Structure formats: structure tokens, C-alpha cells
Amino acid sequence: MKPLTFYVKSKIGKVLGWSALGLVLLITILVTAFSSYFTGTDENELASIPESVLKWKPIMEEELAKYGMEDYIQIVLAITATESDGSQLDIMQSSEAIGLAPNAIQDPVYSIQIGVKHFKNVIDQMNQTGVDLNTAIQSYNFGSGYLTYIADNGGVHTTELAEAYSKEVVAPSLGNTSGQTYPYSASVADEKGNYLYTNGGNFYYVDLVQQALTDGVTGNGVLAFPVEDQTITSTFGFRVHPITGENKLHGGVDFAPVNGGNPPVFAALKGKVTQAAYSSSWGNYVKLTNGNGIETLYAHLKEVTVLPGQQVETGESIGYMGTSGSSTGVHLHFEVYQNNNRINPAPLLGL
């Protein structure tokens, strides 16, 4: 996929209502070979943030913590991976957010500080206007004026609205008043004819970010289901939190007991219990280290029946479904990590 670079001069930024030019995202799908630990082959793959980006994760988490935004680490990692793949000093391509030329920042730590601060400002605007998280993400490509545009058009980002904004606002502001397009070869654009508007940004930007977060994940059911009742009530992806009302990445899959009660929860893969504890968000939870960089987490349990350090087998009971912690009803919140990076569990469950 050819990256799209979308630079806008400061005077154009004023036209669109931008206080600072958003991060320019260059989207690539990053995959690593999935371990033969599960299948005996290297055919399965998982979406992965490269080590050149992951090494900066502690600093990113530290900066996000200053704003109480630790839950957004996955998105910041994906932004960084698609911006620079960790190969440039301006690792988050954040120079333009403070009015400098592209790549003017020559210190990765400073780039992260500015990038996270800019990200925080966009999220603040998202909350002020009441739009969804996808709108905020798309605004990285379009500028903050897109937040107001969506607020005035239903409050929820769609590809159709993004295309209209690209054609009617962004492109004309940069000189393309005729609706001129150019070929754009990407799977997300296949259904609409593989084009973008000249000088119009990328109206598929949200789709590309979703790919960076979740695509490349295959598995064909290499994990066992952690519950007998396989009814899913919430999937991996962006959503409004049912308690806080915040737009966030829901980093796992939720299962609910349709027949009621508190059914048992099982280990999706053999491993070692590294955490069996309580937190205000997850409630009673268990985390297993399953080997080869894979970890599984089971949250909101009524009761935990394993201890830290204990070895468990696939399908072995580790607790009972509950509603402890930040929860609105009995369910299991199930997460999968690869190299400390949350990934979509669904393909690994054969969904």
C-alpha cells in the first residue's frame, strides 16, 4: 500500500479551523509470523507493533498518564507504527502539531511528548462536541474542523460523511474545486472504486487505523472458548463505554450467560497464572502467560479459583463469571495480548 502524505499550510489550517496540523498518518499493515507453538507452522499471523515502536511504549504510557489517558496506549502505538514505523527521529511525526516543518523534531522523546499532547487535545475536542472516537481519529487526517462537521451531521463518523467532507471541504481548500480524483489501491477502497480526491486527505483513514489495530490476525480457532455459552455481547473495537460514556477502544470480547447464573470460566490455552487479583476496572481477574509472547486475561469474575504461579491446562476452570469491577452485568471480558500488545481475540477463537 502506498502511504498518503497529507500536508496543509498553516493558512489553510486556519480556514479549516485547525489549531495545529494533525499527525500525518502513513498506514501500513504490520504483521509478524505467529508462533509454531500453536500450529507447528508459520502460516498463522498476528497483527503486531514492531519492536522499533514498542521500545518507546513506557515513555508513551508515562505521557498518557499525565492526562489520565492510559487506556489509549494501543491507539498511540498504532499511530506511531503507521507514522514512522519507529524509523525516524520524529517518531510520531508531530513537528507540524507545533507549527514546524515535517520531521523538524529530532528527539524521539520530544516527538512523543508533543504527539501525545496533540492526541489529548483532539480527544478533549471529541468529548466537547459529543462525537464518536472514529471521528476523532479521522480528524488526524482532516483536521479538527471534521469534529464540528460530524457534530452537525449526527455525531457519528461514516465513510460517506468522510468522503463528502474530503470532496467538499478539504480538497477545495487546497485548490481542488473540480472534484478531481486519483487512483488509490487499497483493500478498504475496493468497493467504492479505489480512488481518493486530489488534495482531499484520505476518507478511508478510520478503516486504515482499524486495520493497523486488528488486521493480520488469523488463527482458525487456536484458542479454546473460555466459556460454554459462546454468546458475544461486545466485540473488539471502538465503542462508547456503558458506564463512563467515553469513546474508547474495547480491547477484548465480552461473553454473557444467556441462561443466567455464574457459569465457569475456562483457560483458553494452557499456561501459568501470573496474576489472580482485583482491580477497580477489571474486578476479580486472572491473567495467564501462555508462552511465546502470548497472554490471556479474564475479567469481572465473581470468584477466582486459581493462584499466582499455578500451571493450568486448556479448558481448566479458573473462576466463575461475574460482574465485579466496572461492569453493568454478569459477563466475561476476555483479552489476548501478543508481546504486551492487545490484539483482537475473535480470529483466534475461530470467529
Side-chain angles (χ1 to χ4, degrees):
M1 180 187 303
K2 294 182 180 180
L4 171 70
T5 305
F6 179 43
Y7 298 120
V8 182
K9 296 180 180 179
S10 59
K11 64 179 180 179
I12 299 301
K14 294 179 181 178
V15 172
L16 295 180
W18 297 351
S19 59
L21 183 60
L23 301 174
V24 181
L25 292 175
L26 312 177
I27 299 300
T28 55
I29 300 174
L30 304 168
V31 294
T32 58
F34 192 42
S35 171
S36 59
Y37 174 81
F38 295 115
T39 65
T41 72
D42 61 359
E43 294 177 354
N44 292 317
E45 294 181 338
L46 290 174
S48 179
I49 304 297
E51 185 58 37
S52 56
V53 172
L54 282 175
K55 69 180 182 179
W56 299 104
K57 183 179 178 182
I59 295 175
M60 294 173 183
E61 290 177 324
E62 180 180 346
E63 290 302 311
L64 286 167
K66 293 179 181 179
Y67 306 109
M69 297 175 61
E70 296 91 332
D71 288 345
Y72 288 98
I73 181 60
Q74 188 72 12
I75 296 176
V76 171
L77 284 168
I79 286 173
T80 306
T82 56
E83 283 286 350
S84 70
D85 204 22
S87 63
Q88 299 181 33
L89 293 176
D90 190 1
I91 188 171
M92 289 190 69
Q93 294 290 286
S94 52
S95 296
E96 292 168 275
I98 52 175
L100 300 177
N103 293 305
I105 293 176
Q106 295 292 292
D107 178 358
V109 174
Y110 186 50
S111 177
I112 292 170
Q113 291 171 339
I114 296 301
V116 169
K117 183 178 181 179
H118 177 69
F119 179 82
K120 187 261 185 186
N121 291 337
V122 171
I123 295 300
D124 284 347
Q125 293 178 63
M126 174 193 76
N127 292 326
Q128 291 166 8
T129 54
V131 298
D132 66 333
L133 180 58
N134 282 341
T135 299
I137 291 175
Q138 183 69 45
S139 75
Y140 277 115
N141 194 256
F142 281 168
S144 60
Y146 185 65
L147 293 155
T148 303
Y149 176 82
I150 294 299
D152 293 338
N153 286 276
V156 177
H157 162 86
T158 66
T159 303
E160 290 71 26
L161 285 172
E163 180 177 4
Y165 190 81
S166 173
K167 180 180 181 180
E168 299 168 7
V169 180
V170 182
S173 73
L174 292 171
N176 179 11
T177 58
S178 63
Q180 180 182 357
T181 63
Y182 66 93
Y184 177 64
S185 178
S187 60
V188 295
D190 286 346
E191 292 186 5
K192 291 181 67 67
N194 296 101
Y195 65 88
L196 291 174
Y197 295 99
T198 302
N199 296 332
N202 192 327
F203 57 85
Y204 292 111
Y205 176 64
V206 167
D207 303 281
L208 296 172
V209 171
Q210 291 276 14
Q211 283 188 347
L213 288 169
T214 66
D215 263 21
V217 182
T218 62
N220 301 317
V222 296
L223 296 181
F225 271 82
V227 292
E228 290 182 351
D229 190 333
Q230 299 175 8
T231 301
I232 295 175
T233 56
S234 187
T235 58
F236 183 95
F238 304 126
R239 72 167 191 177
V240 176
H241 192 281
I243 295 178
T244 66
E246 294 179 287
N247 288 289
K248 289 187 176 182
L249 175 69
H250 182 242
V253 173
D254 290 351
F255 298 90
V258 173
N259 296 322
N262 302 93
V265 173
F266 309 103
L269 190 69
K270 67 178 181 180
K272 180 179 180 180
V273 179
T274 50
Q275 296 180 45
Y278 179 88
S279 78
S280 59
S281 58
W282 284 333
N284 298 315
Y285 73 96
V286 173
K287 193 169 189 178
L288 304 179
T289 295
N290 306 103
N292 294 291
I294 301 298
E295 297 174 295
T296 51
L297 182 139
Y298 314 75
H300 304 306
L301 303 180
K302 177 183 179 180
E303 180 183 354
V304 172
T305 57
V306 292
L307 297 172
Q310 181 177 338
Q311 294 286 340
V312 296
E313 295 297 319
T314 302
E316 183 175 343
S317 177
I318 59 174
Y320 293 91
M321 195 182 296
T323 186
S324 58
S326 181
S327 169
T328 58
V330 175
H331 73 288
L332 170 69
H333 177 73
F334 176 66
E335 296 189 356
V336 178
Y337 297 74
Q338 183 190 32
N339 298 325
N340 298 315
N341 188 34
R342 281 190 295 188
I343 60 175
N344 186 0
L348 303 178
L349 295 167
L351 299 174

